[in-house]
Amino acid sequence: MKLIFASNNKNKIKEIKNQLPHGIEILSLEDIGCNVDIPETAKTIEGNALLKADYIKRHYGFDCFADDSGLEVNALNGAPGVYSARYAGEEKNDTANNAKLLQELKDCNNRKANFKTVIALHYKGIQHMFTGIIEGEILEKPQGDKGFGYDPLFKANGITKSFAEMSLEEKNAISHRGKAVKQLVDFLLSVQE
């Protein structure tokens, strides 16, 4: 089975490929010659996942899936949320995003947050959605050098390490994206001929 993953984010592609069983192969946007930065103009994480999947289905005709993820911080009324990648500006700079988040929470005791991933799948003419959420908190300062995005600042409940201190396998076992991808894989295995 081959599916297009509507992304050129090499970190996300690596994380998802790491979870796929033998027999399910994903191709990136680069693999199909799509160099467009698909607009993410929806007001929700679910909406952006759908926009990206719909774009590939409409323009290329392939069965495909897309994801969108966001960090939702309780004290910031769910921000950065759908704007997580561009929190500190359009250039999608992880370091700047992390610095802005720490600044916003500078005098805040409530550091509860969650990471959320939504995967939108187009498969044989039917649309499916899969959601993964992990609860945790924002650390006082970055810890670890693995991962990407807000990983150095996020520690899941009941875990002693930040996401950036975990191996890919450890992170995938508990993360928001890991949970959503597991649902996707379970579905694909259930419909595989």
Side-chain angles (χ1 to χ4, degrees), residues 15 32 40 45-46 53 64 69-70 92 95 97 101 112 120 136 148 151 160-161 170 172-173 175 181-182 188:
E15 280 189 7
I32 62 167
E40 297 180 41
I45 292 168
E46 292 84 354
C64 63
S69 298
K92 297 183 182 179
T95 304
N97 288 338
L101 180 61
K112 290 183 181 171
F148 61 101
D151 286 356
T160 58
K161 302 176 185 176
E170 287 174 317
N172 281 344
S175 78
V181 171
K182 183 178 183 331
L188 293 175

Side-chain angles (χ1 to χ4, degrees), residues 145-158:
D145 57 5
K146 299 181 184 86
F148 61 101
Y150 297 94
D151 286 356
L153 292 180
F154 186 82
K155 184 178 82 63
N157 290 343

Side-chain angles (χ1 to χ4, degrees), residues 89-151:
E90 283 301 310
E91 67 282 351
K92 297 183 182 179
N93 183 297
D94 290 349
T95 304
N97 288 338
N98 282 310
K100 179 175 180 179
L101 180 61
L102 287 175
Q103 182 61 33
E104 297 279 331
L105 293 175
K106 185 175 59 170
D107 300 316
C108 186
N109 291 326
N110 177 5
R111 302 183 81 83
K112 290 183 181 171
N114 73 72
F115 259 132
K116 177 180 182 180
T117 290
V118 176
I119 293 175
L121 168 70
H122 282 293
Y123 184 74
K124 296 192 174 179
I126 299 174
Q127 192 173 77
H128 306 270
M129 300 280 279
F130 308 99
T131 302
I133 296 174
I134 179 100
E135 301 288 339
E137 65 180 324
I138 303 303
L139 298 166
E140 301 274 341
K141 62 183 193 307
Q143 291 179 203
D145 57 5
K146 299 181 184 86
F148 61 101
Y150 297 94
D151 286 356

Side-chain angles (χ1 to χ4, degrees), residues 10-103:
K10 294 192 183 338
N11 290 308
K12 284 185 182 182
I13 293 165
K14 182 178 173 185
E15 280 189 7
I16 290 176
K17 279 187 174 178
N18 185 264
Q19 286 187 262
L20 295 178
H22 181 70
I24 299 176
E25 182 184 349
I26 60 169
L27 302 173
S28 69
L29 293 180
E30 185 180 20
D31 293 330
I32 62 167
C34 176
N35 300 311
V36 176
D37 194 10
I38 301 169
E40 297 180 41
T41 54
K43 299 279 189 244
T44 64
I45 292 168
E46 292 84 354
N48 277 340
L50 280 169
L51 278 176
K52 292 185 273 189
D54 288 349
Y55 182 93
I56 296 306
K57 187 67 177 168
R58 190 169 56 252
H59 289 87
Y60 293 86
F62 295 116
D63 281 345
C64 63
F65 68 96
D67 85 320
D68 197 39
S69 298
L71 177 68
E72 299 173 328
V73 180
N74 294 20
L76 302 178
N77 298 315
V82 72
Y83 305 108
S84 292
R86 296 175 175 83
Y87 193 42
E90 283 301 310
E91 67 282 351
K92 297 183 182 179
N93 183 297
D94 290 349
T95 304
N97 288 338
N98 282 310
K100 179 175 180 179
L101 180 61
L102 287 175
Q103 182 61 33

